Amino acid sequence: MNNNNKTESAAQKTTATTSSSSHLEAFLYRVPKKNHDAVAQNLKQFVPWFEKQGVRIEYYQLGNYKIMEGIDGIAKTLSAGEDEDIWMELQYFRDYKHCEDAYAKMMQDKSIEQLGKEFFGLITQGTSLVNGRFNRLRV
């Protein structure tokens, strides 16, 4: 169930560092297990685009670990079926303005439009991405 090696190496090549990031975009989505390799290939193709924008991007697949009593797992919360995996995408930006600028460029960039359409065709149909926008706390 933990076949995240294919995207991990691409994510490690990013040039932005966590220490310079103060804004995080987190996405959770369901992926049919049969589409694992196709989604991994698709996501790998996005990495250079994000790197060019100065964004560090990482992909994770939910591990099959025992959850502590009294805590609900993400798979249950997102109603994942037995034939689905939960994936998480983390995008690290310098600040929220950097995020807005990168997304504006993404919406205008026709070179990655087909990749986006392919991605949305590979994830579980009838669902949407769950997104969270986080600002780094300095404690």
Side-chain angles (χ1 to χ4, degrees), residues 45-46 49 106 109-117:
Q45 294 177 70
F46 278 102
W49 189 91
M106 180 181 277
D109 192 337
K110 299 293 183 193
S111 71
I112 59 171
E113 186 175 341
Q114 186 57 37
L115 279 178
K117 287 179 182 177

Side-chain angles (χ1 to χ4, degrees), residues 4 18 25 51 59 72 77 91 115:
N4 60 353
T18 307
E25 291 284 318
E51 285 179 340
Y59 303 102
D72 284 336
T77 303
Q91 301 172 357
L115 279 178

Side-chain angles (χ1 to χ4, degrees), residues 1 9 20 30 34 50 55 58-59 63 71 76-77 84 88-89 104 110 114 118-119 121 125 128-129 137:
M1 180 160 177
S9 61
S20 66
R30 296 174 7 208
K34 66 179 182 159
F50 279 99
V55 178
E58 298 175 339
Y59 303 102
I71 298 176
K76 179 180 176 185
T77 303
E84 298 173 308
M88 180 171 63
E89 180 175 321
K110 299 293 183 193
Q114 186 57 37
E118 179 182 314
F119 170 78
Q125 298 302 298
S128 59
L129 279 71
L137 296 176

Side-chain angles (χ1 to χ4, degrees), residues 120-138:
F120 282 103
L122 291 169
I123 64 173
T124 300
Q125 298 302 298
T127 64
S128 59
L129 279 71
V130 175
N131 174 246
R133 294 182 161 178
F134 299 88
N135 294 314
R136 187 173 182 176
L137 296 176
R138 307 281 182 191

